[in-house]
Amino acid sequence: MMKKKRCDFLSLYVDGAARGNPGPAGVGIILEDENKRIVANIDKFIGNATNNVAEYTALITGMEEARKLGAKAITINTDSQLLAKQLSGEYRVKNPVLKELHEQARKALIHFDRVIVNNIPREQNKGADKLANKAIDGSASQRNDKSFVLK
């Protein structure tokens, strides 16, 4: 079994996607070390969800992975203005489902000595977006969406 490299600092690129909002949803996460080397790529199908739920799920999943890798400091990069502004406290969280996810995210942040949240342009988050869509596309091939009639 390969031992994971310990990283004191990680940059997280997180994105969530939902087709239908709500609809089939996935998350994409890229973790980079201080030398911009990718230490993890994560794509995960999360079932039916809204885009905002997928964004929060990507964030929480990314922070969990950063903790497993031993990160003491993280930079969170997201193209979701809502997520960035709710994390910073600039926007209130009104939706009950998002309130619960926001609370989970705030609790996860406590495990890091330093956290920076960047609201980045979508063009700078293409890798995470591609992974989120890959998760949704991969799930479609796993589902049985065929119709048939028994005679």
PDB file of all heavy atoms in Angstrom, residues 21-42:
ATOM      1  N   ASN A  21     -30.841  20.911 -11.866  1.00  0.00           N
ATOM      2  CA  ASN A  21     -30.897  21.796 -10.683  1.00  0.00           C
ATOM      3  C   ASN A  21     -32.253  21.805  -9.979  1.00  0.00           C
ATOM      4  O   ASN A  21     -32.930  22.816 -10.015  1.00  0.00           O
ATOM      5  CB  ASN A  21     -30.461  23.205 -11.087  1.00  0.00           C
ATOM      6  CG  ASN A  21     -29.875  23.959  -9.910  1.00  0.00           C
ATOM      7  OD1 ASN A  21     -29.391  23.375  -8.964  1.00  0.00           O
ATOM      8  ND2 ASN A  21     -29.934  25.264  -9.977  1.00  0.00           N
ATOM      9  N   PRO A  22     -32.703  20.768  -9.268  1.00  0.00           N
ATOM     10  CA  PRO A  22     -31.895  19.583  -8.956  1.00  0.00           C
ATOM     11  C   PRO A  22     -31.906  18.562 -10.089  1.00  0.00           C
ATOM     12  O   PRO A  22     -32.801  18.545 -10.923  1.00  0.00           O
ATOM     13  CB  PRO A  22     -32.556  19.012  -7.711  1.00  0.00           C
ATOM     14  CG  PRO A  22     -33.981  19.439  -7.804  1.00  0.00           C
ATOM     15  CD  PRO A  22     -33.977  20.762  -8.532  1.00  0.00           C
ATOM     16  N   GLY A  23     -30.889  17.737 -10.044  1.00  0.00           N
ATOM     17  CA  GLY A  23     -30.739  16.681 -11.025  1.00  0.00           C
ATOM     18  C   GLY A  23     -29.488  15.901 -10.695  1.00  0.00           C
ATOM     19  O   GLY A  23     -28.887  16.099  -9.630  1.00  0.00           O
ATOM     20  N   PRO A  24     -29.082  15.009 -11.584  1.00  0.00           N
ATOM     21  CA  PRO A  24     -27.861  14.239 -11.342  1.00  0.00           C
ATOM     22  C   PRO A  24     -26.705  15.215 -11.075  1.00  0.00           C
ATOM     23  O   PRO A  24     -26.540  16.194 -11.808  1.00  0.00           O
ATOM     24  CB  PRO A  24     -27.650  13.481 -12.652  1.00  0.00           C
ATOM     25  CG  PRO A  24     -28.996  13.457 -13.309  1.00  0.00           C
ATOM     26  CD  PRO A  24     -29.696  14.702 -12.869  1.00  0.00           C
ATOM     27  N   ALA A  25     -25.956  14.965 -10.002  1.00  0.00           N
ATOM     28  CA  ALA A  25     -24.930  15.918  -9.574  1.00  0.00           C
ATOM     29  C   ALA A  25     -23.612  15.225  -9.262  1.00  0.00           C
ATOM     30  O   ALA A  25     -23.581  14.056  -8.864  1.00  0.00           O
ATOM     31  CB  ALA A  25     -25.420  16.689  -8.346  1.00  0.00           C
ATOM     32  N   GLY A  26     -22.548  15.980  -9.432  1.00  0.00           N
ATOM     33  CA  GLY A  26     -21.218  15.459  -9.138  1.00  0.00           C
ATOM     34  C   GLY A  26     -20.326  16.552  -8.599  1.00  0.00           C
ATOM     35  O   GLY A  26     -20.633  17.742  -8.713  1.00  0.00           O
ATOM     36  N   VAL A  27     -19.221  16.119  -8.001  1.00  0.00           N
ATOM     37  CA  VAL A  27     -18.235  17.061  -7.485  1.00  0.00           C
ATOM     38  C   VAL A  27     -16.888  16.772  -8.118  1.00  0.00           C
ATOM     39  O   VAL A  27     -16.573  15.627  -8.458  1.00  0.00           O
ATOM     40  CB  VAL A  27     -18.124  17.019  -5.947  1.00  0.00           C
ATOM     41  CG1 VAL A  27     -19.451  17.366  -5.306  1.00  0.00           C
ATOM     42  CG2 VAL A  27     -17.642  15.675  -5.442  1.00  0.00           C
ATOM     43  N   GLY A  28     -16.112  17.828  -8.263  1.00  0.00           N
ATOM     44  CA  GLY A  28     -14.759  17.724  -8.776  1.00  0.00           C
ATOM     45  C   GLY A  28     -13.822  18.491  -7.871  1.00  0.00           C
ATOM     46  O   GLY A  28     -14.134  19.614  -7.463  1.00  0.00           O
ATOM     47  N   ILE A  29     -12.704  17.866  -7.520  1.00  0.00           N
ATOM     48  CA  ILE A  29     -11.752  18.477  -6.595  1.00  0.00           C
ATOM     49  C   ILE A  29     -10.339  18.201  -7.094  1.00  0.00           C
ATOM     50  O   ILE A  29     -10.017  17.064  -7.443  1.00  0.00           O
ATOM     51  CB  ILE A  29     -11.908  17.893  -5.175  1.00  0.00           C
ATOM     52  CG1 ILE A  29     -13.337  18.089  -4.662  1.00  0.00           C
ATOM     53  CG2 ILE A  29     -10.888  18.500  -4.213  1.00  0.00           C
ATOM     54  CD1 ILE A  29     -13.907  16.903  -3.974  1.00  0.00           C
ATOM     55  N   ILE A  30      -9.532  19.244  -7.104  1.00  0.00           N
ATOM     56  CA  ILE A  30      -8.109  19.094  -7.387  1.00  0.00           C
ATOM     57  C   ILE A  30      -7.361  19.663  -6.192  1.00  0.00           C
ATOM     58  O   ILE A  30      -7.654  20.773  -5.740  1.00  0.00           O
ATOM     59  CB  ILE A  30      -7.705  19.846  -8.674  1.00  0.00           C
ATOM     60  CG1 ILE A  30      -8.429  19.257  -9.890  1.00  0.00           C
ATOM     61  CG2 ILE A  30      -6.180  19.800  -8.859  1.00  0.00           C
ATOM     62  CD1 ILE A  30      -8.210  20.023 -11.171  1.00  0.00           C
ATOM     63  N   LEU A  31      -6.407  18.893  -5.669  1.00  0.00           N
ATOM     64  CA  LEU A  31      -5.557  19.373  -4.578  1.00  0.00           C
ATOM     65  C   LEU A  31      -4.136  19.499  -5.098  1.00  0.00           C
ATOM     66  O   LEU A  31      -3.605  18.550  -5.680  1.00  0.00           O
ATOM     67  CB  LEU A  31      -5.595  18.416  -3.386  1.00  0.00           C
ATOM     68  CG  LEU A  31      -6.932  18.373  -2.654  1.00  0.00           C
ATOM     69  CD1 LEU A  31      -7.736  17.188  -3.123  1.00  0.00           C
ATOM     70  CD2 LEU A  31      -6.727  18.302  -1.173  1.00  0.00           C
ATOM     71  N   GLU A  32      -3.550  20.672  -4.901  1.00  0.00           N
ATOM     72  CA  GLU A  32      -2.181  20.937  -5.330  1.00  0.00           C
ATOM     73  C   GLU A  32      -1.323  21.270  -4.128  1.00  0.00           C
ATOM     74  O   GLU A  32      -1.777  21.952  -3.204  1.00  0.00           O
ATOM     75  CB  GLU A  32      -2.129  22.138  -6.288  1.00  0.00           C
ATOM     76  CG  GLU A  32      -2.756  21.916  -7.622  1.00  0.00           C
ATOM     77  CD  GLU A  32      -2.648  23.151  -8.522  1.00  0.00           C
ATOM     78  OE1 GLU A  32      -2.291  24.243  -8.030  1.00  0.00           O
ATOM     79  OE2 GLU A  32      -2.929  23.011  -9.721  1.00  0.00           O
ATOM     80  N   ASP A  33      -0.051  20.842  -4.167  1.00  0.00           N
ATOM     81  CA  ASP A  33       0.879  21.216  -3.104  1.00  0.00           C
ATOM     82  C   ASP A  33       1.446  22.606  -3.377  1.00  0.00           C
ATOM     83  O   ASP A  33       1.068  23.261  -4.360  1.00  0.00           O
ATOM     84  CB  ASP A  33       1.979  20.156  -2.919  1.00  0.00           C
ATOM     85  CG  ASP A  33       2.945  20.047  -4.085  1.00  0.00           C
ATOM     86  OD1 ASP A  33       2.960  20.933  -4.973  1.00  0.00           O
ATOM     87  OD2 ASP A  33       3.701  19.054  -4.103  1.00  0.00           O
ATOM     88  N   GLU A  34       2.367  23.045  -2.510  1.00  0.00           N
ATOM     89  CA  GLU A  34       2.912  24.404  -2.634  1.00  0.00           C
ATOM     90  C   GLU A  34       3.708  24.611  -3.928  1.00  0.00           C
ATOM     91  O   GLU A  34       3.932  25.738  -4.346  1.00  0.00           O
ATOM     92  CB  GLU A  34       3.783  24.762  -1.419  1.00  0.00           C
ATOM     93  CG  GLU A  34       4.968  23.854  -1.204  1.00  0.00           C
ATOM     94  CD  GLU A  34       4.660  22.593  -0.403  1.00  0.00           C
ATOM     95  OE1 GLU A  34       3.506  22.389   0.013  1.00  0.00           O
ATOM     96  OE2 GLU A  34       5.593  21.804  -0.188  1.00  0.00           O
ATOM     97  N   ASN A  35       4.111  23.522  -4.592  1.00  0.00           N
ATOM     98  CA  ASN A  35       4.837  23.606  -5.860  1.00  0.00           C
ATOM     99  C   ASN A  35       3.914  23.438  -7.072  1.00  0.00           C
ATOM    100  O   ASN A  35       4.378  23.183  -8.177  1.00  0.00           O
ATOM    101  CB  ASN A  35       5.957  22.561  -5.908  1.00  0.00           C
ATOM    102  CG  ASN A  35       6.975  22.812  -4.833  1.00  0.00           C
ATOM    103  OD1 ASN A  35       7.418  23.935  -4.635  1.00  0.00           O
ATOM    104  ND2 ASN A  35       7.344  21.771  -4.097  1.00  0.00           N
ATOM    105  N   LYS A  36       2.604  23.544  -6.832  1.00  0.00           N
ATOM    106  CA  LYS A  36       1.581  23.408  -7.875  1.00  0.00           C
ATOM    107  C   LYS A  36       1.524  22.009  -8.484  1.00  0.00           C
ATOM    108  O   LYS A  36       1.017  21.827  -9.582  1.00  0.00           O
ATOM    109  CB  LYS A  36       1.774  24.458  -8.980  1.00  0.00           C
ATOM    110  CG  LYS A  36       1.734  25.878  -8.497  1.00  0.00           C
ATOM    111  CD  LYS A  36       0.446  26.511  -8.908  1.00  0.00           C
ATOM    112  CE  LYS A  36       0.397  27.952  -8.446  1.00  0.00           C
ATOM    113  NZ  LYS A  36      -0.783  28.245  -7.718  1.00  0.00           N
ATOM    114  N   ARG A  37       2.060  21.021  -7.756  1.00  0.00           N
ATOM    115  CA  ARG A  37       1.951  19.632  -8.209  1.00  0.00           C
ATOM    116  C   ARG A  37       0.621  19.073  -7.719  1.00  0.00           C
ATOM    117  O   ARG A  37       0.257  19.242  -6.554  1.00  0.00           O
ATOM    118  CB  ARG A  37       3.100  18.790  -7.650  1.00  0.00           C
ATOM    119  CG  ARG A  37       4.413  18.991  -8.376  1.00  0.00           C
ATOM    120  CD  ARG A  37       5.428  18.008  -7.869  1.00  0.00           C
ATOM    121  NE  ARG A  37       5.587  18.156  -6.435  1.00  0.00           N
ATOM    122  CZ  ARG A  37       6.736  18.448  -5.820  1.00  0.00           C
ATOM    123  NH1 ARG A  37       7.835  18.561  -6.509  1.00  0.00           N
ATOM    124  NH2 ARG A  37       6.779  18.584  -4.514  1.00  0.00           N
ATOM    125  N   ILE A  38      -0.078  18.384  -8.599  1.00  0.00           N
ATOM    126  CA  ILE A  38      -1.364  17.788  -8.225  1.00  0.00           C
ATOM    127  C   ILE A  38      -1.098  16.571  -7.351  1.00  0.00           C
ATOM    128  O   ILE A  38      -0.374  15.665  -7.740  1.00  0.00           O
ATOM    129  CB  ILE A  38      -2.181  17.417  -9.466  1.00  0.00           C
ATOM    130  CG1 ILE A  38      -2.556  18.688 -10.230  1.00  0.00           C
ATOM    131  CG2 ILE A  38      -3.431  16.622  -9.091  1.00  0.00           C
ATOM    132  CD1 ILE A  38      -3.244  18.449 -11.557  1.00  0.00           C
ATOM    133  N   VAL A  39      -1.688  16.582  -6.150  1.00  0.00           N
ATOM    134  CA  VAL A  39      -1.542  15.445  -5.240  1.00  0.00           C
ATOM    135  C   VAL A  39      -2.810  14.604  -5.190  1.00  0.00           C
ATOM    136  O   VAL A  39      -2.779  13.471  -4.727  1.00  0.00           O
ATOM    137  CB  VAL A  39      -1.118  15.883  -3.814  1.00  0.00           C
ATOM    138  CG1 VAL A  39       0.257  16.521  -3.841  1.00  0.00           C
ATOM    139  CG2 VAL A  39      -2.120  16.833  -3.191  1.00  0.00           C
ATOM    140  N   ALA A  40      -3.928  15.151  -5.688  1.00  0.00           N
ATOM    141  CA  ALA A  40      -5.171  14.376  -5.738  1.00  0.00           C
ATOM    142  C   ALA A  40      -6.139  14.991  -6.734  1.00  0.00           C
ATOM    143  O   ALA A  40      -6.255  16.218  -6.828  1.00  0.00           O
ATOM    144  CB  ALA A  40      -5.827  14.300  -4.366  1.00  0.00           C
ATOM    145  N   ASN A  41      -6.800  14.136  -7.484  1.00  0.00           N
ATOM    146  CA  ASN A  41      -7.927  14.486  -8.356  1.00  0.00           C
ATOM    147  C   ASN A  41      -9.092  13.645  -7.878  1.00  0.00           C
ATOM    148  O   ASN A  41      -8.967  12.425  -7.777  1.00  0.00           O
ATOM    149  CB  ASN A  41      -7.647  14.102  -9.816  1.00  0.00           C
ATOM    150  CG  ASN A  41      -6.842  15.125 -10.562  1.00  0.00           C
ATOM    151  OD1 ASN A  41      -6.894  16.308 -10.276  1.00  0.00           O
ATOM    152  ND2 ASN A  41      -6.090  14.660 -11.535  1.00  0.00           N
ATOM    153  N   ILE A  42     -10.205  14.282  -7.593  1.00  0.00           N
ATOM    154  CA  ILE A  42     -11.358  13.539  -7.096  1.00  0.00           C
ATOM    155  C   ILE A  42     -12.580  13.898  -7.933  1.00  0.00           C
ATOM    156  O   ILE A  42     -12.885  15.080  -8.127  1.00  0.00           O
ATOM    157  CB  ILE A  42     -11.637  13.875  -5.608  1.00  0.00           C
ATOM    158  CG1 ILE A  42     -10.426  13.526  -4.752  1.00  0.00           C
ATOM    159  CG2 ILE A  42     -12.902  13.170  -5.122  1.00  0.00           C
ATOM    160  CD1 ILE A  42     -10.461  14.109  -3.356  1.00  0.00           C
TER     161      ILE A  42
END
